[in-house]
Amino acid sequence: MTVRSAAARASGRDELRVAVRVVVAVLLVGAVAGVAWGLLAPPEKVLVVDPKHGIPLTGESAHRFDAMAIFVSFAAAAGLLSAVGAWRLARRSRGPLLEAAVLIGSLAGTAIMVWAGEHVARLLHPRPADPALRSLVDMAPTVEGASGQLFGMTVPILHAGPALVVQPLIASLAVLILAALSTSEDLHTGRGAAVPGEPPYLSDISYGPYRTASTQPGRPVDSTDPRP
């Protein structure tokens, strides 16, 4: 019992450390995806009609949908890659804790994706402070409905739009599907192996000619042996 308890505590600490690393890795994936979105999302060109107002040119308003579609695609890819990568690289930590780490990392990662992407987009398409009348201005792309004001600061995911659930939803579903498709009861983690010093079967119940290692510790089990 002492050996099993020590092994369980060590395994729990290892799983927790791996879970923290998974969360950090998913956050980095979200940041990279956000930078890529900020570089690729198209701006919207508007015509300045007075110092504080502009009207979009014909067809330019469609870029708002384009920017959102690119964001959703990148978020789905980030969620899928995060889940598959965590499943493959953190094999010994597969289980509920890994699922929670991927989900938490994806929820925070999508907020970082919004912040990083919009920051990059504003750097690429800065808005002039006092544009001239009849001039064309590029409006930086944004994730509509993805941010709100809190104490004067813009906070991503405060007014969460449907696009913000894509990454955590895809990541969670991917982990669940991979777990369901696993052919091993312990998800190939190796945690189902017997603890050294303990018999492979813990039950003392025997069924006729079928004996367990706990009932016959000194000899191997032979199912063809007719002796009880």
Side-chain angles (χ1 to χ4, degrees):
M1 182 63 69
T2 303
V3 175
R4 177 174 289 274
S5 300
R9 288 195 297 269
S11 176
R13 289 192 295 268
D14 292 341
E15 286 187 42
L16 186 59
R17 283 194 292 266
V18 172
V20 172
R21 294 171 186 165
V22 168
V23 171
V24 173
V26 175
L27 293 179
L28 292 177
V29 170
V32 172
V35 172
W37 175 80
L39 294 173
L40 296 178
E44 180 183 10
K45 292 186 180 295
V46 299
L47 177 66
V48 179
V49 294
D50 64 56
K52 294 184 178 181
H53 297 87
I55 56 175
L57 301 181
T58 303
E60 286 294 317
S61 59
H63 289 324
R64 296 167 63 184
F65 171 81
D66 298 336
M68 183 64 73
I70 295 174
F71 180 87
V72 170
S73 299
F74 279 25
L80 182 60
L81 292 176
S82 299
V84 174
W87 183 264
R88 295 286 296 177
L89 299 178
R91 181 179 64 86
R92 296 188 63 84
S93 299
R94 292 173 182 173
L97 190 59
L98 181 63
E99 167 75 11
V102 172
L103 178 59
I104 293 173
S106 298
L107 285 171
T110 194
I112 292 180
M113 184 177 174
V114 172
W115 176 83
E118 293 188 345
H119 184 71
V120 170
R122 285 193 295 269
L123 291 177
L124 289 178
H125 311 285
R127 181 187 299 184
D130 188 17
L133 293 179
R134 303 296 178 179
S135 63
L136 294 179
V137 175
D138 286 343
M139 301 294 293
T142 60
V143 182
E144 297 184 13
S147 61
Q149 293 292 324
L150 181 64
F151 301 115
M153 298 183 296
T154 300
V155 181
I157 215 170
L158 182 63
H159 295 162
L164 299 184
V165 302
V166 173
Q167 182 177 347
L169 177 63
I170 295 296
S172 299
L173 287 178
V175 173
L176 290 177
I177 291 173
L178 290 171
L181 294 177
S182 178
T183 57
S184 174
E185 291 184 357
D186 65 348
L187 304 177
H188 296 285
T189 60
R191 295 198 302 267
V195 177
E198 291 189 356
Y201 303 101
L202 300 181
S203 174
D204 291 329
I205 302 175
S206 61
Y207 299 93
Y210 303 100
R211 296 180 301 280
T212 65
S214 60
T215 58
Q216 299 288 338
R219 34 188 303 221
V221 176
D222 184 2
S223 60
T224 62
D225 189 355
R227 291 176 296 174

